[in-house]
Amino acid sequence: MNKNELLELLNSMTIKEKIGQLLQLSSAFYSNKDVVTGPLRFLGIDKENVELSGSTLNLVSADAIIHTQKEHLEKSDKKIPLLFMADVINGYKTIFPTPLALGCTFHPELLRDCARIAAKEASVAGLHVTYSPMVDLVRDARWGRVMESTGEDSFLNSVYAKEIVKGYQGNSLLDEYTIAACVKHFAAYGAPSGGREYGWVDMSERLLREQYLVAYKAAIDENCALVMSSFNTLNGIPATGDKWLMREILRDEWGFDGVIISDYAAIAELVAHGYAKDDKEAAKIALEAGIDIDMMTSVYVKNLEKLIHEKQVSIDLLDESVLRVLELKNKLGLFENPYRFANPTLEKELILSKEHRKVARKAATESMVLLKNNGILPLKKSIIENQKIACIGPYVDSKSLYGAWSIFGNREDAITLKEAIINRKEDIQVEFLDGCKILSEDPWNLDKRDITPLEEEKMLEEAIHLASNSDVVVLALGEHYIYTGEGSSRGDITLPKVQLNLFEKVYEVNKNIIVVLFNGRPLDIVSIEGRAAAILEAWYPGTEGGNAICDIIFGDVNPSGRLSMSFPYCVGQVPIYYNNYNTGRPANEKVYENRYSSRYIDIPNKPLYPFGYGLSYSKFEYSNIGLENTVLASTGSIKASVIIKNNSEYSGTEIVQLYIRDLYGSVVRPLKELKGFRRISLQPYEEKEVVFEITEDMLRFYNTKMNYESEEGEFTLFIGHDSSVSNGINFILKK
Ligand code: BGC
C-alpha cells in the first residue's frame, strides 16, 4: 500500500476499529477455548474486542498463525491483518547462549548471525516481530534480568544492538526471513534501585544520556522498527507515561517514527505507581506520552473512546498511533501477504538445522569465559588416555541450558555435558554423578524429584567416593535458571549452599577440580576461586552447550570469551563497573594505612574479575604500544598501534581492547572508557600489528550545558587485554 491508501484506510475506520489496532492480546484470547470465562473475563473485554485487536503476544507456530490470521481476516470488515509478536530472545528453537553470554564474545557479527537465524526460524513459524534486542545497560548482578542484556558497557552494547537489529531486519522488512526488531526496555530499566526487580531509577540526565541511552539510540539509528517502554520510573515518572522520554527524546531528538509498545500491563501499572488516578487517566497519560500499543490490558480499549468523546484526548493523537501500527503492517508487507513467511513445511526443515546448530555451537564456545586455569586445561591427551575423569554436579546432565527467556526452545533438544562427552566416543575413563540437588531449599518445588535427606546424603557420599578415585574432577555447578531472568532479583549471589558443600567435600579428596559454571549473572564465587584448578564460565550456553564445553575442555577450541560484566568480589561491591570515577581521595589498595581514602575497609575495591577479562590457552604479549602523534586536532585523527604476539604453541584469538581516559574537564570523567576493540586470530608464535584510529568524536561527553562536546586537554590511551590495563600513553586534544 502507498501512504495515500493507508490514510484512506485509516479514514474509513470507526473509532472502535482504530482503538482495536492498539490492543495486543496473548495467544489464549484466540484459542476459542473457554475465553469468555477465562481471559476475556480477566481483562473485562468481549469477543468484538478480540476480533478488532491489532496484534498478538507469544502466539507461535506456522499452523496456528495461519489459522488465526485466516479466521481473523474473515471476521475483519476492513481486512486488516494481525501482527504476530513474541519474545524470541536468544533464538527461537535453536537456542543460542543468553545475551549476557553472547556479550562476552566481543564478536558483533556473530550476534548478527544468531539474530539472523532466530529471525529465519521465527519467520517461517509465522512471527512478524520479536521483542529484542534488550539493551538495558546493567551494572548490578543482583538484578535477574542482567542475563538478557549484553552487559555493562554502553559502547559495546551499542555495537551489538546495531548488529542484532541488522540480523533480524536484514536490509528491508520485505526481505525473505526477516522479522521486525523491538528495542527494549526504554529507558534505564537496567538500573533498578538496589537491584530489585521493577524498582525505581533515579539518575542524573548526564549519566542517563552518556551511558544508559546510548544503545537504544544505536538500535534506532539502525532503523529498529519498534521500541518497548519500560516498567520502571525514571526520576519519579513511570517510563510508560513519560512524554519527555517518548516524545522529546525518542521521537523529536532521535527521529523515531516507528511503533512504541508498552511493556506487559505497564499502562495499567501507572495507577499502582501512583501516577494516574485510575485506568482512564492512565490511558490518557500513556497515549499522550506516545505509547501506541497497549500490551495485555484493556485500558485503551475501555477508556479511549470515552476520552475522545469528552474531548479530553484528541482524535488526531489516536490517529497518529493507529497510523503507525498500520504503517508497520505495511512495511512488513502484510496487506499484500498476511501470512508472510509462515510455512509449516519450511518450519520443520529449517528449525534446528545443521547450519543453525553449528552457529549455536560456535556462539556457545566463543561466549564461554575461562576465569581461572592453573594449567590443567585443556585436558592433555595423556590425561584423557590414561587417567580417570569424574564429572560431578547438578549440571552434568541437566537440559536446563537455555536461560529464563527461551520460551519456545524445547529443552530436550539441548545437548548436556554428559551426552556430549559420551558422543565424542573417545576412549576415556569417565563417570558421571549429580552429587547433589541444584537448590538447597526449594520452596517452589523446582527440583521435582522429591529426594529424601537420606538419598541426598547417599548422593554426596557417592560423589566423594568417585572424586577420591579419580584423577580429575569436572564439577558442573550453577544457579537454577528460574533464579535468573524477570522477577528473579537475588540478594545473595553465591552458589546454592548445597553445591558449595559439594565443592568442599570433593576438594577434601581431590584438588584437581575444573569448575564449569552455569548461571545468568556474575556470581560471588570467591569461596571457590582460590581452590579450583580451573573455572570455566559457561553461562546458559543453549542447544549446543554440552558440545561447546567439550570443545573447550578437550582443547578443540581455544577460549576467547571476555567478560562483558564485572564479576564482583562479593555482593557488597555491587553495583560494580569498570568505568567509575577517581574521587578526590583515590585509594591505593596496597597502602592500607590511609583510612580516609575511597575504599572499603573490609573488602577490596577491585572486582574479582574485571570487565573485558578472560583467559586463553595462548599467551598473548603486548609490545610497542605507540601513538603516531601525541597531538590530535579536532578535524584530524591519530593512529595508535600495538604488536601482539602469541607466545605459545596454541593458536588462539585475542580481544585487543582500547580504552581512553580524559584526565581533566569541566565535568569529571570516568577512569577509563572502552572506545574500540579488535578480534585477532594468531597462529602459534605469530605476531600481528593492530591499529586503532583516534578521532575527536571519541572524546565527547555531556558538558555542564548538556552539550555533547569534547574539550581541549590531556588524555591517556590504554591498549590491553582487559579493563585493568594500567600503562597508558598520553596525548593532547587541540581544537
Ligand atoms: C517483559 C518483556 C517482554 C514482555 C512480553 C514482560 O514481562 O518485561 O521483556 O517482552 O513481558 O512477554
Side-chain angles (χ1 to χ4, degrees), residues 568-612:
Y569 176 83
C570 68
V571 75
Q573 286 185 331
V574 168
I576 185 161
Y577 43 95
Y578 81 95
N579 45 355
N580 53 35
Y581 301 92
N582 203 35
T583 80
R585 294 186 181 188
N588 176 351
E589 289 189 47
K590 284 184 198 130
V591 189
Y592 278 98
E593 293 87 63
N594 184 9
R595 177 169 166 200
Y596 298 100
S597 67
S598 178
R599 64 181 176 86
Y600 300 101
I601 57 174
D602 53 351
I603 55 167
N605 278 5
K606 287 200 181 112
L608 188 61
Y609 303 114
F611 174 83

Short mmCIF file of all heavy atoms in Angstrom, two decimals, residues 568-612:
data_model
loop_
_atom_site.label_atom_id
_atom_site.label_comp_id
_atom_site.label_asym_id
_atom_site.label_seq_id
_atom_site.Cartn_x
_atom_site.Cartn_y
_atom_site.Cartn_z
N PRO A 568 31.83 -9.42 40.70
CA PRO A 568 32.19 -8.75 41.96
C PRO A 568 32.99 -9.68 42.87
O PRO A 568 32.92 -10.90 42.75
CB PRO A 568 30.83 -8.46 42.57
CG PRO A 568 29.94 -9.52 42.04
CD PRO A 568 30.42 -9.82 40.65
N TYR A 569 33.72 -9.06 43.77
CA TYR A 569 34.41 -9.83 44.80
C TYR A 569 33.37 -10.41 45.77
O TYR A 569 33.47 -11.53 46.22
CB TYR A 569 35.39 -8.90 45.52
CG TYR A 569 36.09 -9.54 46.68
CD1 TYR A 569 37.24 -10.31 46.47
CD2 TYR A 569 35.62 -9.38 47.98
CE1 TYR A 569 37.88 -10.91 47.53
CE2 TYR A 569 36.26 -9.98 49.04
CZ TYR A 569 37.39 -10.75 48.81
OH TYR A 569 38.01 -11.35 49.86
N CYS A 570 32.36 -9.60 46.06
CA CYS A 570 31.22 -10.06 46.85
C CYS A 570 30.06 -9.10 46.59
O CYS A 570 30.25 -8.05 45.97
CB CYS A 570 31.54 -10.12 48.34
SG CYS A 570 31.82 -8.51 49.07
N VAL A 571 28.89 -9.46 47.09
CA VAL A 571 27.70 -8.68 46.75
C VAL A 571 27.78 -7.25 47.28
O VAL A 571 27.17 -6.33 46.72
CB VAL A 571 26.42 -9.42 47.22
CG1 VAL A 571 26.23 -9.32 48.71
CG2 VAL A 571 25.19 -8.91 46.49
N GLY A 572 28.60 -7.04 48.33
CA GLY A 572 28.76 -5.69 48.89
C GLY A 572 29.35 -4.69 47.91
O GLY A 572 29.21 -3.49 48.10
N GLN A 573 30.01 -5.15 46.87
CA GLN A 573 30.58 -4.22 45.87
C GLN A 573 29.55 -3.79 44.82
O GLN A 573 29.79 -2.85 44.07
CB GLN A 573 31.71 -4.91 45.12
CG GLN A 573 32.99 -5.10 45.86
CD GLN A 573 34.05 -5.68 44.92
OE1 GLN A 573 33.74 -6.40 43.97
NE2 GLN A 573 35.30 -5.38 45.20
N VAL A 574 28.47 -4.52 44.76
CA VAL A 574 27.50 -4.32 43.69
C VAL A 574 26.67 -3.06 43.93
O VAL A 574 26.26 -2.83 45.07
CB VAL A 574 26.59 -5.57 43.61
CG1 VAL A 574 25.38 -5.34 42.75
CG2 VAL A 574 27.39 -6.76 43.10
N PRO A 575 26.38 -2.20 42.95
CA PRO A 575 26.79 -2.31 41.55
C PRO A 575 28.28 -1.98 41.35
O PRO A 575 28.78 -1.02 41.91
CB PRO A 575 25.92 -1.28 40.84
CG PRO A 575 25.52 -0.30 41.89
CD PRO A 575 25.52 -1.03 43.18
N ILE A 576 28.92 -2.80 40.54
CA ILE A 576 30.34 -2.57 40.25
C ILE A 576 30.56 -2.56 38.75
O ILE A 576 29.96 -3.37 38.04
CB ILE A 576 31.23 -3.62 40.98
CG1 ILE A 576 32.69 -3.28 40.77
CG2 ILE A 576 30.90 -5.05 40.55
CD1 ILE A 576 33.63 -3.93 41.76
N TYR A 577 31.39 -1.65 38.29
CA TYR A 577 31.63 -1.50 36.85
C TYR A 577 32.97 -0.82 36.67
O TYR A 577 33.44 -0.09 37.54
CB TYR A 577 30.50 -0.69 36.20
CG TYR A 577 30.08 0.52 36.99
CD1 TYR A 577 30.61 1.78 36.72
CD2 TYR A 577 29.17 0.41 38.05
CE1 TYR A 577 30.24 2.89 37.47
CE2 TYR A 577 28.80 1.50 38.81
CZ TYR A 577 29.34 2.74 38.52
OH TYR A 577 28.98 3.82 39.27
N TYR A 578 33.58 -1.06 35.51
CA TYR A 578 34.97 -0.62 35.35
C TYR A 578 35.07 0.89 35.15
O TYR A 578 36.06 1.51 35.52
CB TYR A 578 35.62 -1.36 34.16
CG TYR A 578 35.26 -0.76 32.83
CD1 TYR A 578 36.09 0.18 32.20
CD2 TYR A 578 34.06 -1.10 32.20
CE1 TYR A 578 35.74 0.75 31.00
CE2 TYR A 578 33.71 -0.54 30.99
CZ TYR A 578 34.55 0.39 30.39
OH TYR A 578 34.20 0.96 29.20
N ASN A 579 34.05 1.51 34.53
CA ASN A 579 34.20 2.92 34.15
C ASN A 579 33.69 3.84 35.26
O ASN A 579 32.81 4.66 35.04
CB ASN A 579 33.52 3.21 32.81
CG ASN A 579 32.14 2.59 32.70
OD1 ASN A 579 31.71 1.87 33.60
ND2 ASN A 579 31.45 2.86 31.62
N ASN A 580 34.25 3.67 36.46
CA ASN A 580 33.85 4.53 37.58
C ASN A 580 34.81 5.72 37.70
O ASN A 580 35.65 5.94 36.82
CB ASN A 580 33.72 3.71 38.87
CG ASN A 580 34.98 2.92 39.14
OD1 ASN A 580 36.08 3.38 38.85
ND2 ASN A 580 34.85 1.73 39.67
N TYR A 581 34.75 6.42 38.78
CA TYR A 581 35.47 7.69 38.87
C TYR A 581 36.64 7.63 39.86
O TYR A 581 36.70 6.74 40.71
CB TYR A 581 34.50 8.81 39.25
CG TYR A 581 33.39 8.95 38.26
CD1 TYR A 581 32.19 8.25 38.42
CD2 TYR A 581 33.55 9.73 37.11
CE1 TYR A 581 31.17 8.36 37.48
CE2 TYR A 581 32.53 9.84 36.17
CZ TYR A 581 31.35 9.14 36.36
OH TYR A 581 30.35 9.23 35.42
N ASN A 582 37.49 8.63 39.77
CA ASN A 582 38.69 8.63 40.58
C ASN A 582 38.42 9.02 42.03
O ASN A 582 39.05 8.51 42.94
CB ASN A 582 39.69 9.62 39.97
CG ASN A 582 41.11 9.31 40.37
OD1 ASN A 582 41.46 8.14 40.52
ND2 ASN A 582 41.91 10.33 40.56
N THR A 583 37.49 9.91 42.27
CA THR A 583 37.20 10.58 43.55
C THR A 583 38.34 11.53 43.93
O THR A 583 39.42 11.50 43.30
CB THR A 583 36.96 9.61 44.75
OG1 THR A 583 38.22 9.17 45.25
CG2 THR A 583 36.08 8.46 44.38
N GLY A 584 38.12 12.31 44.95
CA GLY A 584 39.16 13.23 45.43
C GLY A 584 40.21 12.51 46.27
O GLY A 584 41.29 13.03 46.51
N ARG A 585 39.86 11.32 46.72
CA ARG A 585 40.81 10.57 47.54
C ARG A 585 40.90 9.13 47.03
O ARG A 585 40.41 8.18 47.66
CB ARG A 585 40.36 10.55 48.99
CG ARG A 585 40.40 11.93 49.60
CD ARG A 585 40.09 11.86 51.06
NE ARG A 585 40.12 13.20 51.63
CZ ARG A 585 40.03 13.44 52.93
NH1 ARG A 585 39.90 12.44 53.78
NH2 ARG A 585 40.06 14.67 53.37
N PRO A 586 41.50 8.99 45.85
CA PRO A 586 41.56 7.65 45.27
C PRO A 586 42.31 6.70 46.19
O PRO A 586 43.27 7.10 46.86
CB PRO A 586 42.29 7.85 43.96
CG PRO A 586 42.92 9.18 44.03
CD PRO A 586 42.16 9.99 45.02
N ALA A 587 41.89 5.48 46.23
CA ALA A 587 42.52 4.52 47.14
C ALA A 587 43.71 3.86 46.46
O ALA A 587 43.64 3.49 45.30
CB ALA A 587 41.51 3.46 47.53
N ASN A 588 44.75 3.75 47.20
CA ASN A 588 45.83 2.89 46.77
C ASN A 588 45.67 1.65 47.63
O ASN A 588 45.97 1.65 48.81
CB ASN A 588 47.17 3.56 47.02
CG ASN A 588 48.31 2.64 46.65
OD1 ASN A 588 48.09 1.46 46.38
ND2 ASN A 588 49.52 3.18 46.64
N GLU A 589 45.18 0.61 47.01
CA GLU A 589 44.79 -0.54 47.84
C GLU A 589 45.97 -1.23 48.52
O GLU A 589 45.80 -2.03 49.40
CB GLU A 589 43.98 -1.51 47.01
CG GLU A 589 42.61 -0.93 46.71
CD GLU A 589 41.68 -1.92 46.08
OE1 GLU A 589 41.60 -3.04 46.58
OE2 GLU A 589 41.05 -1.54 45.08
N LYS A 590 47.17 -0.88 48.06
CA LYS A 590 48.33 -1.51 48.71
C LYS A 590 48.66 -0.79 50.01
O LYS A 590 49.31 -1.31 50.89
CB LYS A 590 49.52 -1.49 47.76
CG LYS A 590 49.37 -2.53 46.68
CD LYS A 590 50.61 -2.57 45.81
CE LYS A 590 50.27 -3.26 44.51
NZ LYS A 590 50.69 -2.50 43.35
N VAL A 591 48.27 0.47 50.09
CA VAL A 591 48.61 1.25 51.28
C VAL A 591 47.39 1.33 52.20
O VAL A 591 46.55 2.20 52.08
CB VAL A 591 49.07 2.67 50.89
CG1 VAL A 591 49.63 3.42 52.10
CG2 VAL A 591 50.09 2.62 49.78
N TYR A 592 47.29 0.41 53.11
CA TYR A 592 46.09 0.35 53.93
C TYR A 592 46.12 1.32 55.10
O TYR A 592 45.15 1.46 55.81
CB TYR A 592 45.80 -1.09 54.38
CG TYR A 592 45.09 -1.83 53.29
CD1 TYR A 592 45.76 -2.66 52.42
CD2 TYR A 592 43.72 -1.64 53.09
CE1 TYR A 592 45.11 -3.30 51.39
CE2 TYR A 592 43.05 -2.28 52.07
CZ TYR A 592 43.75 -3.11 51.22
OH TYR A 592 43.08 -3.73 50.21
N GLU A 593 47.27 2.01 55.28
CA GLU A 593 47.32 2.95 56.40
C GLU A 593 46.34 4.09 56.18
O GLU A 593 45.79 4.63 57.12
CB GLU A 593 48.72 3.58 56.56
CG GLU A 593 49.79 2.61 56.99
CD GLU A 593 50.38 1.94 55.78
OE1 GLU A 593 50.98 2.64 54.95
OE2 GLU A 593 50.22 0.71 55.65
N ASN A 594 46.17 4.46 54.91
CA ASN A 594 45.35 5.63 54.66
C ASN A 594 43.86 5.29 54.72
O ASN A 594 43.24 4.93 53.74
CB ASN A 594 45.69 6.26 53.31
CG ASN A 594 44.91 7.53 53.10
OD1 ASN A 594 44.25 8.03 54.02
ND2 ASN A 594 44.99 8.07 51.91
N ARG A 595 43.34 5.45 55.91
CA ARG A 595 41.94 5.09 56.10
C ARG A 595 41.01 6.03 55.32
O ARG A 595 39.98 5.63 54.83
CB ARG A 595 41.63 5.17 57.59
CG ARG A 595 40.20 4.90 57.88
CD ARG A 595 39.95 4.71 59.33
NE ARG A 595 38.51 4.78 59.55
CZ ARG A 595 37.96 5.04 60.70
NH1 ARG A 595 38.74 5.25 61.74
NH2 ARG A 595 36.67 5.08 60.84
N TYR A 596 41.40 7.30 55.25
CA TYR A 596 40.50 8.29 54.66
C TYR A 596 40.66 8.36 53.15
O TYR A 596 40.95 9.40 52.58
CB TYR A 596 40.70 9.65 55.34
CG TYR A 596 40.34 9.54 56.81
CD1 TYR A 596 41.34 9.41 57.78
CD2 TYR A 596 39.01 9.49 57.21
CE1 TYR A 596 41.01 9.26 59.11
CE2 TYR A 596 38.68 9.32 58.54
CZ TYR A 596 39.69 9.21 59.49
OH TYR A 596 39.36 9.04 60.80
N SER A 597 40.54 7.23 52.53
CA SER A 597 40.55 7.20 51.07
C SER A 597 39.32 6.43 50.62
O SER A 597 38.65 5.78 51.43
CB SER A 597 41.83 6.54 50.56
OG SER A 597 41.83 5.18 50.90
N SER A 598 39.05 6.50 49.33
CA SER A 598 37.80 5.94 48.83
C SER A 598 37.92 4.42 48.67
O SER A 598 38.29 3.91 47.62
CB SER A 598 37.47 6.59 47.49
OG SER A 598 36.30 6.03 46.98
N ARG A 599 37.63 3.72 49.73
CA ARG A 599 37.74 2.26 49.70
C ARG A 599 36.89 1.64 50.79
O ARG A 599 36.42 2.32 51.69
CB ARG A 599 39.20 1.83 49.89
CG ARG A 599 39.75 2.21 51.25
CD ARG A 599 41.19 1.78 51.37
NE ARG A 599 41.78 2.21 52.62
CZ ARG A 599 41.69 1.54 53.76
NH1 ARG A 599 41.01 0.41 53.82
NH2 ARG A 599 42.26 2.00 54.85
N TYR A 600 36.68 0.35 50.67
CA TYR A 600 36.04 -0.40 51.75
C TYR A 600 37.13 -0.79 52.73
O TYR A 600 38.27 -1.03 52.33
CB TYR A 600 35.39 -1.67 51.21
CG TYR A 600 34.32 -1.45 50.15
CD1 TYR A 600 34.60 -1.62 48.80
CD2 TYR A 600 33.04 -1.07 50.52
CE1 TYR A 600 33.62 -1.43 47.84
CE2 TYR A 600 32.06 -0.86 49.56
CZ TYR A 600 32.36 -1.05 48.22
OH TYR A 600 31.39 -0.84 47.27
N ILE A 601 36.78 -0.91 54.01
CA ILE A 601 37.84 -1.34 54.94
C ILE A 601 37.87 -2.86 55.09
O ILE A 601 38.80 -3.42 55.64
CB ILE A 601 37.71 -0.65 56.34
CG1 ILE A 601 36.34 -0.92 56.95
CG2 ILE A 601 38.02 0.83 56.26
CD1 ILE A 601 36.22 -0.40 58.38
N ASP A 602 36.87 -3.53 54.56
CA ASP A 602 36.85 -4.99 54.75
C ASP A 602 36.91 -5.80 53.47
O ASP A 602 37.10 -7.02 53.50
CB ASP A 602 35.58 -5.39 55.53
CG ASP A 602 34.30 -4.84 54.89
OD1 ASP A 602 34.42 -4.03 53.95
OD2 ASP A 602 33.21 -5.25 55.31
N ILE A 603 36.75 -5.17 52.35
CA ILE A 603 36.86 -5.89 51.06
C ILE A 603 37.62 -5.03 50.07
O ILE A 603 37.70 -3.80 50.24
CB ILE A 603 35.46 -6.24 50.46
CG1 ILE A 603 34.59 -4.98 50.31
CG2 ILE A 603 34.75 -7.31 51.24
CD1 ILE A 603 33.35 -5.16 49.46
N PRO A 604 38.20 -5.64 49.04
CA PRO A 604 38.92 -4.81 48.06
C PRO A 604 37.97 -3.95 47.24
O PRO A 604 36.78 -4.23 47.16
CB PRO A 604 39.61 -5.84 47.17
CG PRO A 604 38.95 -7.13 47.43
CD PRO A 604 38.27 -7.06 48.76
N ASN A 605 38.52 -2.91 46.61
CA ASN A 605 37.72 -2.13 45.65
C ASN A 605 37.57 -2.87 44.34
O ASN A 605 36.59 -2.71 43.63
CB ASN A 605 38.44 -0.81 45.34
CG ASN A 605 38.18 0.25 46.40
OD1 ASN A 605 37.54 -0.02 47.41
ND2 ASN A 605 38.70 1.43 46.17
N LYS A 606 38.60 -3.64 44.03
CA LYS A 606 38.63 -4.28 42.71
C LYS A 606 37.66 -5.45 42.65
O LYS A 606 37.50 -6.18 43.63
CB LYS A 606 40.03 -4.82 42.43
CG LYS A 606 41.02 -3.76 42.13
CD LYS A 606 42.22 -4.38 41.40
CE LYS A 606 43.24 -3.31 41.11
NZ LYS A 606 44.47 -3.49 41.87
N PRO A 607 37.05 -5.65 41.48
CA PRO A 607 36.18 -6.83 41.35
C PRO A 607 37.04 -8.08 41.33
O PRO A 607 38.27 -8.00 41.19
CB PRO A 607 35.53 -6.61 39.99
CG PRO A 607 36.51 -5.80 39.22
CD PRO A 607 37.19 -4.91 40.22
N LEU A 608 36.39 -9.22 41.45
CA LEU A 608 37.15 -10.46 41.35
C LEU A 608 37.72 -10.60 39.94
O LEU A 608 38.91 -10.91 39.76
CB LEU A 608 36.22 -11.64 41.68
CG LEU A 608 36.89 -12.99 41.80
CD1 LEU A 608 37.90 -13.00 42.93
CD2 LEU A 608 35.83 -14.07 42.02
N TYR A 609 36.88 -10.35 38.94
CA TYR A 609 37.32 -10.34 37.55
C TYR A 609 36.73 -9.11 36.89
O TYR A 609 35.52 -8.90 36.93
CB TYR A 609 36.82 -11.58 36.80
CG TYR A 609 37.23 -12.89 37.42
CD1 TYR A 609 36.27 -13.73 37.97
CD2 TYR A 609 38.56 -13.28 37.46
CE1 TYR A 609 36.63 -14.93 38.54
CE2 TYR A 609 38.93 -14.49 38.03
CZ TYR A 609 37.96 -15.31 38.57
OH TYR A 609 38.31 -16.50 39.14
N PRO A 610 37.56 -8.31 36.25
CA PRO A 610 37.05 -7.06 35.67
C PRO A 610 36.40 -7.24 34.31
O PRO A 610 36.58 -8.28 33.65
CB PRO A 610 38.31 -6.21 35.55
CG PRO A 610 39.41 -7.19 35.33
CD PRO A 610 39.03 -8.44 36.10
N PHE A 611 35.71 -6.22 33.89
CA PHE A 611 35.16 -6.15 32.54
C PHE A 611 36.29 -6.41 31.52
O PHE A 611 37.41 -5.92 31.69
CB PHE A 611 34.60 -4.74 32.31
CG PHE A 611 34.14 -4.48 30.91
CD1 PHE A 611 32.90 -4.88 30.49
CD2 PHE A 611 34.98 -3.82 30.01
CE1 PHE A 611 32.46 -4.65 29.19
CE2 PHE A 611 34.55 -3.57 28.71
CZ PHE A 611 33.30 -4.00 28.30
N GLY A 612 36.00 -7.19 30.52
CA GLY A 612 36.99 -7.45 29.46
C GLY A 612 37.91 -8.62 29.75
O GLY A 612 38.69 -9.04 28.89
#
